[in-house]
Amino acid sequence: MKRLLVRCAIALLLLPAPAIADPALWVVKDADTTIYLFGTVHLMPKDADWRYPALERALADSQTLYIELTDDNPANIAGLVLRLGMDTAHPLTSQLDESEAKRLRILADRTGVPGGMRTLNIMRPWLAALTLSLMPLKNAGLDPEQGVDKQLKAQMLAAHKPVIGLETAEQQIHLLADMPRAVELGLLRSSMRDADQGTAKLQQMIAAWKAGDPDTIDRVGTAEMRAKEPKLYQSMLVQRNEAWATKIATLLQQPGTIFIAVGAAHLAGPDSVQVQLRQMNLPTEQLH
């Protein structure tokens, strides 16, 4: 979800990736089915180089690509945001204390939010949090249109192979919009605290991803959420990882070769998709 979480919220400009390693690729298989698992980054520099031969062979061998979303066109997202992310009856500043409201005004100007505080003030806390997280990343030249999942989707469609979404945009936005208000405000406060570090964190995430280093991806991308916002961590990562592992187990019942690409944070840490599969007696092997 990260395009939504980085559309929803968190992830080399500062830290160069080692030249030898490549983004990690895993496989889970049985006698007649092979499923590749590949982590993605939803915002990337335009000139990022992340492809390598083993990855290209896996894509060429795969008959189908699964990614988090396929219905993420701007018109669809805009409609959902208007319906689930705006709240003109409860100004955002009325839900914050005086010091928090002052900090939000400063960040609205500093990050270049179009319309500034007037725009943020009619947003629900979850949408304001995402806006504050995304603006510095876009200002740093990290482009959602260059996201790995979008590039993989374009490649497979050009090869006339089906691309299927594991979730819908509405499902992903409801994960945020349906949070209890206290958790939603906690997400906003976290985004306000991290507003000056968001670009550096994503740059570290990209570097770790390019280096094939899931431990650093977890440490930089999700460890703080796991410790400080456990309910958010459960809904955004653990529950979705469990659902995707169940989906993979179902796909293994049909012969063929499938490529699954989800946000890199979902393939890292103690609750990763691989851990969920192992608990179902479906071990994964890291190929690269």
Side-chain angles (χ1 to χ4, degrees), residues 73-121:
N73 62 80
N76 185 42
I77 296 297
L80 290 169
V81 165
L82 285 173
R83 180 160 59 89
L84 298 171
M86 311 303 287
D87 184 3
T88 57
H90 303 90
L92 198 52
T93 49
S94 70
Q95 303 174 61
L96 302 171
D97 64 32
E98 185 176 343
S99 64
E100 291 170 336
K102 180 179 179 180
R103 169 71 171 162
L104 188 62
R105 291 188 183 93
I106 292 171
L107 290 174
D109 293 335
R110 182 185 301 170
T111 60
V113 174
M117 191 61 210
R118 287 178 300 172
T119 299
L120 290 181
N121 213 25

